[in-house]
Amino acid sequence: AQSVTQLGSHVSVSEGALVLLRCNYSSSVPPYLFWYVQYPNQGLQLLLKYTSAATLVKGINGFEAEFKKSETSFHLTKPSAHMSDAAEYFCAVSDESGYSTLTFGKGTMLLVSP
Amino acid sequence: SQTIHQWPATLVQPVGSPLSLECTVEGTSNPNLYWYRQAAGRGLQLLFYSVGIGQISSEVPQNLSASRPQDRQFILSSKKLLLSDSGFYLCAWRGQDEAFFGQGTRLTVV
């Protein structure tokens, strides 16, 4: 079975500050890992994904994440927060077979203050 | 390109009433389709998934059911809604490398 733990249900940063959202996973097989963003009352939009290629993955809107197998982590970062980054972020894991079910974390709400 | 349509966007239903939420996918064939429910602070809970017409797998016992009458159509239903069925429902289809989500349905049971 696979699982995802997102540390911190809410993270607050100031505009221009570093964003760090933490994600740890558990998987008995090589994982695929994803970060999605959700704006209020909307569906989920893919930010980036790790599919066993480069361990440092760059996504949209200046976000990136690094796959660290030894730490079973896939933390999401952005060097400088923007007001428009305020949203809920979900980390997800699936096995590497493709087309398989995604298991999501509980989400982290990112709050950005001026 | 692939698109996923989900409706309605919002729904207010009384307790005990029936429910039907529809999801359709365009631009792909034989997709793996999923229904998730999102409750505040609980993330996304997988309710049902389907790998083909008439093939439904349920992840959790509940008051809901799902059907897949056509290749690109996935329906979430209930005969009698409960207050606890309130939430944000998301339909998704799984491509080879990622999942694509509909815009969601906000269901409020009153």
Side-chain angles (χ1 to χ4, degrees):
Chain A
Q2 298 172 310
S3 65
V4 172
T5 301
Q6 291 184 240
L7 295 177
S9 60
H10 291 78
V11 171
S12 295
V13 299
S14 299
E15 192 172 20
L18 171 71
V19 175
L20 171 60
L21 304 182
R22 299 179 186 273
C23 172
N24 289 89
Y25 70 91
S26 173
S27 178
S28 59
V29 297
Y32 278 11
L33 293 159
F34 308 84
W35 276 101
Y36 283 84
V37 61
Q38 184 183 33
Y39 298 98
N41 291 311
Q42 294 189 23
L44 275 67
Q45 179 184 7
L46 182 69
L47 275 178
L48 49 80
K49 59 188 177 186
Y50 166 76
T51 55
S52 72
T55 56
L56 181 61
V57 181
K58 295 186 182 299
I60 62 172
N61 301 337
F63 285 94
E64 64 181 36
E66 185 172 8
F67 171 66
K68 293 186 177 181
K69 184 178 179 180
S70 61
E71 299 177 10
T72 61
S73 69
F74 191 57
H75 302 330
L76 181 71
T77 61
K78 181 174 180 178
S80 177
H82 192 274
M83 295 295 290
S84 61
D85 295 326
E88 191 159 22
Y89 292 80
F90 291 92
C91 183
V93 63
S94 75
D95 66 38
E96 63 173 3
S97 65
Y99 301 105
S100 59
T101 303
L102 268 67
T103 300
F104 286 85
K106 292 187 176 182
T108 298
M109 183 67 71
L110 177 65
L111 307 171
V112 183
S113 56
Chain B
S1 63
Q2 307 90 350
T3 56
I4 182 166
H5 302 280
Q6 188 180 340
W7 68 91
T10 60
L11 192 59
V12 180
Q13 293 285 97
V15 169
S17 64
L19 173 73
S20 180
L21 303 181
E22 188 164 345
C23 172
T24 59
V25 180
E26 296 179 357
T28 186
S29 60
N30 196 30
N32 285 8
L33 296 174
Y34 304 85
W35 278 110
Y36 286 89
R37 178 169 59 200
Q38 185 177 15
R42 297 184 62 185
L44 279 78
Q45 180 186 32
L46 179 63
L47 301 176
F48 301 95
Y49 69 94
S50 172
V51 299
I53 295 174
Q55 301 179 63
I56 308 295
S57 296
S58 174
E59 289 294 301
V60 292
Q62 59 208 318
N63 185 43
L64 302 169
S65 62
S67 62
R68 187 164 175 180
Q70 301 180 39
D71 181 47
R72 289 173 284 179
Q73 184 184 31
F74 202 24
I75 297 173
L76 183 69
S77 303
S78 174
K79 292 182 178 179
K80 290 185 178 182
L81 283 168
L82 306 173
L83 286 174
S84 58
D85 292 323
S86 294
F88 192 55
Y89 290 81
L90 289 160
C91 180
W93 77 269
R94 179 70 199 267
Q96 185 169 5
D97 286 341
E98 64 183 273
F100 300 88
F101 286 82
Q103 290 299 295
T105 297
R106 173 71 61 188
L107 172 65
T108 304
V109 183
V110 296

